[in-house]
Amino acid sequence: MGLNLEKIKTKKKLTFIGLGLGQILSLLCTCNVFTSSELARKGYNVPTTQSFLTYTLLAIVYGGIMLYRRPTIKGKWYHYFFLALADVEGNFLVVKANQYTSITSVMLLDCWAIPCVLVLTWVFLKTKYRLMKITGVVICILGVVMVVFSDVHAGSRAGGSNPVKGDILVVAGATLYAVSNTTEEFLVKNANTVELMTFMGFFGAIISAIQICIFERGELRAIDWSAEGAILFLRFAVSMFLFYSLLPVLLKTSGSAMFTLSLLTSDMWAVLIRVFAYHEKVDWLYYLAFASTAIGLIIYSVKEKDEEGQKDEQRKLLDEEGRVSLIATSTGEP
């Protein structure tokens, strides 16, 4: 009984760690969005180059650790290549979509990653989702829908130069995010973090370099480089490095679905930063949306784990009762 209570306490602790890590990753994601926005305002429209610096940093740091330890490689190289390809192109497509459609459409359609992750983890990782988890997902999505309605209510929705093309790019990018998150969850549970980050950085840097040569050579030549721009690039690379370094921990403890849901709060964190840092006014629906998403995350992570703990406790109690009945029968006691 004491052992079972310890197990329940451990599960609750993992739940709080998952929620906390999810929000740290969400905040890092928000910081990256603001950094990318600053770079774009200053004329640095080279999203793949930004990613290249991050992947190179991952390859150097974790590759150095891997060379020092010289461990046996557990994963297949083509799994890591597939993961890096999905990650690089997912980032590229979603950033590119902002040129064609409204930010409201990007926010709404980016939620497509959630059902994709649920289906992929259910099919390939055999993850089971009960009613409480599905309820948590629905409440989280409702929070994002409120943000969209808030934008519409405030009159901030802009059509974009080519909304259909932009929407298609977002859906494609969100699908690749789902593939990337699911693949990373599989690899982090079957290999180790250092190996995962090393090969993701290595293949990500190669793919990004090829893409830069094809798509961004002209933009790089046209940039008027400055110390401020270099600092912004470095800030983006470091924050993304921290993002990728913490991500495997969350995937191992809570799974890719929890990670995808946690990122829904990044738009709400962005709103709070605009309110307190830039003193902008926002619609009241934003605060309701943030609360809704937070409640959905808590329902998704806590309820399911509590149920599992209760089931483990019930199972052990039944086993103990069975043993007592067996002893009573063998001794002839009523």
Side-chain angles (χ1 to χ4, degrees):
M1 189 70 175
L3 183 64
N4 197 51
L5 286 172
E6 286 297 319
K7 186 186 282 189
I8 292 172
K9 286 180 181 178
T10 303
K11 286 184 176 182
K12 286 184 177 179
K13 193 180 291 184
L14 287 174
T15 297
F16 288 121
I17 289 171
L19 286 168
L21 267 177
Q23 291 316 296
I24 291 171
L25 289 169
S26 183
L27 277 168
L28 284 170
C29 184
T30 305
C31 291
N32 293 333
V33 170
F34 274 91
T35 304
S36 294
S37 179
E38 285 184 56
L39 284 167
R41 282 200 302 270
K42 296 180 184 300
Y44 299 97
N45 295 308
V46 282
T48 311
T49 303
Q50 292 172 218
S51 300
F52 172 75
L53 293 174
T54 301
Y55 292 124
T56 302
L57 193 59
L58 285 171
I60 291 171
V61 173
Y62 286 100
I65 296 171
M66 194 169 175
L67 286 173
Y68 176 76
R69 292 179 179 175
R70 297 185 182 277
T72 303
I73 297 173
K74 297 178 181 178
K76 305 290 185 183
W77 71 267
Y78 49 85
H79 288 158
Y80 294 115
F81 177 81
F82 182 70
L83 167 64
L85 181 65
D87 196 68
V88 171
E89 300 310 325
N91 288 328
F92 175 78
L93 289 173
V94 172
V95 172
K96 198 75 176 172
N98 285 283
Q99 299 176 17
Y100 301 106
T101 191
S102 67
I103 187 66
T104 305
S105 294
V106 172
M107 287 165 58
L108 180 60
L109 293 172
D110 207 26
C111 295
W112 173 249
I114 296 170
C116 289
V117 164
L118 295 178
V119 171
L120 289 171
T121 51
W122 177 64
V123 172
F124 295 104
L125 303 184
K126 309 302 179 187
T127 305
K128 293 180 180 179
Y129 297 102
R130 296 193 183 95
L131 182 61
M132 290 308 297
K133 282 191 178 290
I134 301 299
T135 303
V137 170
V138 171
I139 293 173
C140 284
I141 294 174
L142 282 175
V144 178
V145 172
M146 285 183 206
V147 173
V148 175
F149 276 117
S150 177
D151 282 341
V152 174
H153 181 255
S156 62
R157 183 180 175 91
S161 61
N162 193 338
V164 175
K165 181 178 180 180
D167 291 349
I168 292 171
L169 288 175
V170 177
V171 171
T175 305
L176 287 175
Y177 278 150
V179 172
S180 172
N181 295 341
T182 306
T183 307
E184 193 164 347
E185 181 181 349
F186 169 78
L187 290 170
V188 81
K189 289 178 178 177
N190 291 276
N192 63 69
T193 301
V194 173
E195 180 180 310
L196 172 64
M197 292 294 100
T198 298
F199 285 106
M200 186 175 178
F202 176 72
F203 287 120
I206 292 173
I207 295 165
S208 297
I210 294 169
Q211 195 156 301
I212 289 166
C213 292
I214 297 171
F215 295 110
E216 295 183 1
R217 282 185 301 171
E219 286 85 349
L220 285 170
R221 286 173 187 159
I223 288 175
D224 184 17
W225 293 96
S226 65
E228 188 180 2
I231 290 170
L232 286 172
F233 268 97
L234 185 62
R235 189 173 84 186
F236 181 87
V238 171
S239 60
M240 281 298 287
F241 174 82
L242 293 172
F243 179 89
Y244 281 116
S245 297
L246 290 173
L247 177 56
V249 182
L250 180 62
L251 292 177
K252 204 163 190 176
T253 56
S254 305
S256 53
M258 178 64 177
F259 163 65
T260 308
L261 290 171
S262 296
L263 288 190
L264 291 180
T265 60
S266 61
D267 295 315
M268 288 72 165
W269 287 122
V271 170
L272 292 177
I273 290 172
R274 292 208 305 266
V275 169
F276 294 104
Y278 298 98
H279 306 291
E280 295 182 12
K281 291 184 178 180
V282 297
D283 197 81
W284 62 272
L285 274 172
Y286 271 112
Y287 302 105
L288 188 59
F290 190 89
S292 174
T293 306
I295 291 168
L297 283 171
I298 292 168
I299 290 173
Y300 179 90
S301 59
V302 175
K303 292 290 185 180
E304 187 77 359
K305 292 182 182 297
D306 284 347
E307 286 171 8
E308 288 174 3
Q310 288 170 4
K311 284 184 179 179
D312 288 341
E313 189 175 2
Q314 288 171 357
R315 202 176 293 117
K316 287 195 174 183
L317 284 170
L318 287 171
D319 288 342
E320 287 176 7
E321 287 174 4
R323 282 196 295 271
V324 170
S325 299
L326 186 63
I327 292 168
T329 304
S330 60
T331 56
E333 295 179 6

